[in-house]
Amino acid sequence: MRKYEDTYRHKGLRKKLMDTLRAKGITDEAVLEAMNNIPRHFFLDSALDEIAYEDRAFPISEGQTISQPYTVAYQTQLLQVRPNEKVLEIGTGSIYQASVLAEMGAKVFTIERQKKLFDKTKDFVFKSRYNNIKFFYGDGYEGLPTYAPFDKVIITAAAPFIPPKLIEQLKTGGKMVIPVNEGEHQRMLRLTKNADGSYSEEAFDNFSFVPMLSGRNGGN
Ligand code: SAH
């Protein structure tokens, strides 16, 4: 059984990481406060304990990664999450991004296509602290029609195109933050849904994500 400890050293490293994020241009204090409250090292293999607060992505399992803290902060800031909003996340991965949204008071619905990663969510260390996260095994391209519409949608994998069903499942005025392929990298886009079902688009910086794949992988 793994022992989870959040020491003064971890807390100190975390504060420093928040200063790094501020220096890189993150200004939303609600995002920084949420990230400062969450022990990121709990979401990584215990062997990575010492380096968990470096501003970089790390491998989790099934060839996937926990996003770089800067990327998490950037996407969360663009999403403009407010307490009690319904947020759909595509790509549960390590559950770190979902936890940041939950810490900010959102009702989080998160989908993972890798069965082994989904199965790990049953042992999530913050299951009761973040009882506002619901986990789903499925294909993110389909979204969650049963729980729609959502105030916000966040995609944490590189999308080859904007999935039409996810636009459908947004409320009017709702926003989607999505990294869309553009050559080697992805361009971060924020889409806002209009009353007629169309959307307007704002473009931000380039990032590098693992691919958003279709279908489920493993199990049924
Ligand atoms: N949000 C995660 C980042 C994980 S990396 C975190 O905070 O750790 C992206 C994740 O998206 C991977 O776990 C990958 O398996 C998943 N993914 C890729 N395509 C998907 C799809 N179509 N539906 C659901 N999850 C998908």
Side-chain angles (χ1 to χ4, degrees):
M1 221 358 220
R2 174 165 172 190
K3 216 167 123 197
Y4 289 99
E5 272 183 307
D6 192 24
T7 64
Y8 280 109
R9 180 172 156 70
H10 292 123
K11 291 189 171 89
L13 291 170
R14 205 146 68 231
K15 257 214 150 64
K16 267 202 181 145
L17 174 59
M18 297 313 124
D19 291 338
T20 302
L21 298 180
R22 273 190 199 94
K24 288 184 176 178
I26 303 298
T27 52
D28 187 334
E29 285 299 323
V31 173
L32 292 164
E33 191 189 328
M35 290 179 70
N36 193 45
N37 286 343
I38 302 174
R40 186 176 189 242
H41 63 287
F42 285 15
F43 296 76
L44 295 167
D45 193 283
S46 55
L48 299 173
D49 197 87
E50 283 295 307
I51 52 174
Y53 295 98
E54 291 180 9
D55 188 20
R56 46 179 282 209
F58 290 105
I60 44 178
S61 62
E62 311 313 306
Q64 305 306 319
T65 54
I66 177 174
S67 299
Q68 185 182 343
Y70 175 67
T71 307
V72 172
Y74 193 100
Q75 285 198 283
T76 311
Q77 177 166 289
L78 283 181
L79 204 60
Q80 300 171 321
V81 189
R82 303 287 171 259
N84 293 315
E85 281 187 341
K86 281 171 68 182
V87 180
L88 172 64
E89 182 197 27
I90 311 303
T92 312
S94 68
I95 327 178
Y96 180 73
Q97 171 73 73
S99 299
V100 173
L101 298 168
E103 177 73 25
M104 293 177 78
K107 297 190 185 99
V108 184
F109 300 78
T110 182
I111 312 179
E112 175 56 56
R113 70 176 287 279
Q114 294 277 358
K115 182 72 160 60
K116 285 190 180 147
L117 287 177
F118 170 75
D119 285 345
K120 278 194 183 177
T121 65
K122 295 187 175 72
D123 306 318
F124 181 38
V125 56
F126 287 137
K127 224 182 164 99
S128 55
R129 170 163 156 183
Y130 297 130
N131 60 9
N132 48 339
I133 305 178
K134 283 191 166 68
F135 297 99
F136 299 86
Y137 171 50
D139 180 359
Y141 284 99
E142 299 298 320
L144 291 172
T146 321
Y147 295 89
F150 298 96
D151 297 284
K152 306 282 164 69
V153 176
I154 176 172
I155 284 95
T156 67
F161 55 87
I162 294 160
K165 289 183 184 168
L166 300 186
I167 297 286
E168 271 169 37
Q169 292 172 31
L170 260 185
K171 287 185 190 170
T172 298
K175 290 182 196 302
M176 179 187 303
V177 173
I178 178 168
V180 178
N181 282 342
E182 214 174 70
E184 301 268 290
H185 296 276
Q186 294 88 47
R187 170 80 64 175
M188 194 66 76
L189 301 181
R190 180 168 60 190
L191 315 178
T192 305
K193 188 168 175 181
N194 303 319
D196 65 1
S198 65
Y199 57 84
S200 45
E201 191 176 307
E202 300 164 274
F204 298 90
D205 295 319
N206 283 329
F207 289 86
S208 187
F209 284 83
V210 296
M212 179 172 177
L213 303 171
S214 47
R216 300 191 293 187
N217 186 26
N220 288 302

